[in-house]
Amino acid sequence: MLSLFQNRWDRILTKKAIIILAVIIIPLMIGVAIMFSGKPVFKETIAFVTERDDVQHMPSDSAFRVAAVHQKPEFSDLVLGKYAAIVEKNQREYKVTTLKSKADQKMIQQFFETGKMPDSYRSEDEVRTERGTGTNILGFIVMLVLMQGVALASLYPEDRMLKTFRRILVSPVHVGKYLLVQFIFTCLCLYIPTYLAIVITNVFFHADIGFRLDILAGLLCVLTVLATGFAIFMASVMDRNISLLSSGISVVTCVLSGCFISFAPHHSLLNTLCSILPQKAYMAFIHGVEMGDSMWEYKTQIVYILMWSAVFCFLGGFITRRRTNIGIYE
């Protein structure tokens, strides 16, 4: 196993693109996210569907920017956060389509009917402040770590493509041992640069990260295990375009999980989907810890996240063994 680990280390050092991404780009993005985590966000945009070119008497409020559009935006624009809501006027009534809560939906409708938002409405800046600096920072890092994990696992599909995977299995190294080495290697290469980037930003720039460094180490460890399991699974399922598909999955699932901003859809199907995602449990976990709770008060969330990691690894190993047995990797 040690020789296989050394082999992966020697080979990853020759991958300049991955090294630059892991050692420079990702830590730089993490540092920027931490430095600007307390800055105000852009106003949310509401799409107002209208056929008129010159829209008059549109409501205005400091919490929103209202944009007139001639064609109703796609539902995906709501999912990806391009618009906070889509408003259509049917005769004298306003129809509001949004992924926000029903209470927010009613407030937006009232906004268009009366021209002002209720005093009870909270802007995105207020929501971010309530979430906490550490939760906002780690929420952004979740997406980066998920994408970076897949990049670091690229040696696995490369072995299959170059036909070296089968030759490795002829030695005393079996599929389980090979994947275990890949798991440990990916986990370490993910954890160390990410943790160091946060520590350096905190120590040298005195940036607030919301957590003590020892607590952050544990929170980041749980995330790294999840990201590594996801990377092993994606690298086992696909041979090409792994990073492209994995990045898309990471972005969409992180948006649905509320990694960037609190997300509570009132659509029953979408709400069920969001509650299943492991990132959702992770966000609840880190938010509770930042608010002063002990990590062990979130055993359910921790076990759930580790269960997802184990399922990813199991499926990755199962798929690899099955394909190996039927001779696909000959």
Side-chain angles (χ1 to χ4, degrees):
M1 287 182 63
L2 186 59
S3 60
L4 185 58
F5 188 92
Q6 181 65 43
N7 172 266
R8 313 204 83 61
W9 175 253
D10 293 337
R11 288 170 59 195
I12 203 70
L13 291 178
T14 66
K15 308 290 184 180
K16 294 182 180 179
I18 296 178
I19 293 299
I20 292 174
L21 186 66
V23 179
I24 300 177
I25 303 299
I26 295 298
L28 184 61
M29 292 179 68
I30 291 173
V32 170
I34 295 174
M35 295 298 292
F36 289 92
S37 61
K39 302 296 182 180
V41 296
F42 293 107
K43 290 183 182 180
E44 289 184 294
T45 301
I46 297 177
F48 181 44
V49 184
T50 178
E51 296 179 355
R52 293 181 293 174
D53 294 325
D54 182 22
V55 182
Q56 297 179 347
H57 308 298
M58 281 201 307
S60 62
D61 189 271
S62 59
F64 287 112
R65 184 176 73 88
V66 180
V69 296
H70 299 304
Q71 187 175 2
K72 183 178 179 180
E74 299 292 334
F75 183 76
S76 58
D77 290 332
L78 293 176
V79 175
L80 295 176
K82 183 177 181 180
Y83 297 113
I86 299 172
V87 179
E88 301 170 89
K89 187 175 182 180
N90 298 325
Q91 296 179 350
R92 295 185 178 181
E93 294 184 354
Y94 291 94
K95 177 185 176 184
V96 179
T97 304
T98 181
L99 297 178
K100 291 178 173 290
S101 65
K102 289 186 178 180
D104 285 342
Q105 183 183 29
K106 291 179 180 179
M107 289 181 182
I108 294 173
Q109 185 174 356
Q110 182 180 335
F111 174 49
F112 275 80
E113 291 174 348
T114 64
K116 63 179 182 179
M117 287 295 296
D119 295 335
S120 59
Y121 183 79
R122 295 179 303 158
S123 67
E124 290 296 336
D125 280 335
E126 292 174 313
V127 174
R128 291 176 77 248
T129 301
E130 182 181 279
R131 274 163 57 101
T133 300
T135 304
N136 290 321
I137 291 172
L138 279 184
F140 178 74
I141 292 176
V142 168
M143 181 188 69
L144 296 180
V145 171
L146 286 173
M147 293 191 292
Q148 177 64 0
V150 175
L152 289 169
S154 62
L155 295 180
Y156 174 27
E158 182 181 275
D159 280 341
R160 302 196 306 259
M161 183 180 66
L162 297 176
K163 307 298 182 181
T164 58
F165 181 66
R166 189 66 176 180
R167 292 199 295 272
I168 292 175
L169 297 184
V170 173
S171 68
V173 177
H174 52 77
V175 172
K177 187 177 292 186
Y178 177 94
L179 291 181
L180 177 60
V181 171
Q182 182 64 60
F183 184 93
I184 297 173
F185 177 80
T186 304
C187 207
L188 290 176
C189 290
L190 262 181
Y191 184 87
I192 295 174
T194 303
Y195 185 66
L196 285 179
I198 299 174
V199 171
I200 290 172
T201 307
N202 173 247
V203 173
F204 288 93
F205 297 97
H206 306 288
D208 180 21
I209 59 174
F211 303 101
R212 296 202 321 262
L213 292 179
D214 57 334
I215 293 177
L216 176 68
L219 299 178
L220 194 58
C221 182
V222 175
L223 173 60
T224 303
V225 170
L226 173 64
T228 304
F230 176 69
I232 295 294
F233 172 72
M234 294 301 297
S236 301
V237 172
M238 301 188 64
D239 294 315
R240 298 178 181 178
N241 299 322
I242 302 175
S243 293
L244 181 62
L245 179 61
S246 301
S247 297
I249 293 174
S250 299
V251 171
V252 172
T253 53
C254 284
V255 169
L256 294 177
S257 300
C259 292
F260 309 120
I261 195 64
S262 296
F263 188 74
H266 57 269
H267 295 77
S268 57
L269 180 60
L270 190 57
N271 189 55
T272 301
L273 174 63
C274 293
S275 64
I276 294 174
L277 297 172
Q279 296 102 308
K280 188 76 171 180
Y282 186 74
M283 294 306 295
F285 169 43
I286 62 176
H287 177 66
V289 172
E290 185 174 13
M291 293 300 104
D293 296 335
S294 167
M295 291 179 62
W296 304 117
E297 293 181 45
Y298 291 86
K299 293 178 183 177
T300 302
Q301 284 81 3
I302 295 175
V303 170
Y304 185 71
I305 295 167
L306 296 180
M307 183 187 71
W308 266 94
S309 306
V311 169
F312 279 138
C313 291
F314 171 78
L315 290 177
F318 176 79
I319 292 170
T320 301
R321 288 189 183 90
R322 188 172 183 277
R323 290 179 176 178
T324 302
N325 292 337
I326 62 179
I328 292 181
Y329 299 138
E330 292 288 351

